Amino acid sequence: VDNDEYFYVKNIARPGETISSYRYERRVGGKGANQAIAIIKAGGTADFYGSVGQDGLWVKDTVATFGLDPSGISISDVCPTLADLIGENSIILFPGANCSQLPEETWETSGVAFPECTHVLLQNEIHMECTLYALNNSV
């Protein structure tokens, strides 16, 4: 799950230059969240699993407004939410909660698997252990 931050500027800052943005937006992002929300909007059903930091609690509320159940989103007390600072051909990534292993630790302790799924969509943007756990525990 990403915290996409949009800073609207007239020009991209050059090295050593400081500029001000004239507008700011914050949106839920990340390929997985975007795809799960797209499935819901298209009339399908989707379960979504991810991790956010304490700074990303708003993400759970926001995905719920799209009809996506936020219960699969874990809260990391250690890592902040991944932020994409998006401008004209300029993206800065910070590997926050997406790089935690919280989802797989939660799945293992709660016995979560994916017994009733027909598809599993993975982006390879999380720890390989999380990806392998999802693959090995889906039907």
Side-chain angles (χ1 to χ4, degrees), residues 21-138:
S21 66
Y22 60 87
R23 186 170 147 205
Y24 169 81
E25 289 183 29
R26 177 175 76 171
R27 302 181 200 156
V28 173
K31 291 178 187 80
N34 292 341
Q35 291 165 342
I37 290 168
I39 290 168
I40 297 293
K41 285 183 167 185
T45 59
D47 291 325
F48 180 76
Y49 299 91
S51 184
V52 297
Q54 290 292 333
D55 63 330
L57 295 175
W58 64 274
V59 169
K60 292 182 84 163
D61 295 332
T62 302
V63 299
T65 66
F66 291 103
L68 185 62
D69 179 3
S71 64
I73 300 175
S74 304
I75 307 299
S76 170
D77 291 327
V78 180
C79 301
T81 306
L82 179 67
D84 292 344
L85 307 180
I86 300 175
E88 176 76 23
N89 297 324
S90 178
I91 299 175
I92 301 167
L93 299 175
F94 177 76
N98 280 353
C99 289
S100 76
Q101 293 182 328
L102 191 59
E104 72 197 36
E105 292 165 3
T106 303
W107 294 338
E108 289 174 2
T109 58
S110 67
V112 169
F114 312 99
E116 298 179 21
C117 66
T118 58
H119 296 76
V120 176
L121 179 63
L122 303 163
Q123 296 82 34
N124 261 351
E125 295 179 336
I126 56 176
H127 279 285
M128 183 54 68
E129 291 84 3
C130 289
T131 298
L132 292 174
Y133 184 88
L135 289 172
N136 291 327
N137 290 280
S138 59

